[in-house]
Amino acid sequence: SNQRSLEIIELLSYALVLSENHVYTSGAGGTNAAAIRGALRAARPDLLTVVLPQSLDKQPDEIQELLLDVTRELITMPQNNEM
């Protein structure tokens, strides 16, 4: 099921960060949100980089809430807001 797949992605992201790997993801929901949740759960936000395709306020509320904890490595592309 899709929910099970998201749980596996979150667990893999968690394990990657725990083992000192850097996780890069986008800000969209679904699999990217699962990757963000997993990396943040490992309590190493310095090993998570989120590249948003637009500015933060263009992201879904769920993603905006998750990204409150991603303060160091958040890259936004506001030039794409009209896309």
Side-chain angles (χ1 to χ4, degrees):
S1 79
N2 189 44
Q3 182 57 36
R4 184 70 182 138
S5 297
L6 294 178
E7 290 170 0
I8 291 169
I9 290 167
E10 185 173 335
L11 183 61
L12 287 171
S13 177
Y14 175 68
L16 283 167
V17 171
L18 280 183
S19 58
E20 301 288 321
N21 290 284
H22 198 115
V23 172
Y24 294 83
T25 189
S26 178
T31 56
N32 291 305
I36 294 168
R37 280 193 301 274
L40 291 175
R41 192 170 65 163
R44 289 290 310 272
D46 57 307
L47 292 177
L48 171 65
T49 297
V50 179
V51 180
L52 298 178
Q54 298 172 316
S55 59
L56 182 59
D57 64 343
K58 293 285 187 180
Q59 304 308 305
D61 291 341
E62 170 198 10
I63 297 300
Q64 288 188 37
E65 287 181 35
L66 272 177
L67 295 177
L68 292 176
D69 294 326
V70 183
T71 54
R72 285 186 52 189
E73 299 293 330
L74 179 61
I75 300 166
T76 62
M77 298 182 190
Q79 67 272 23
N80 296 330
N81 282 354
E82 300 306 316
M83 296 181 94

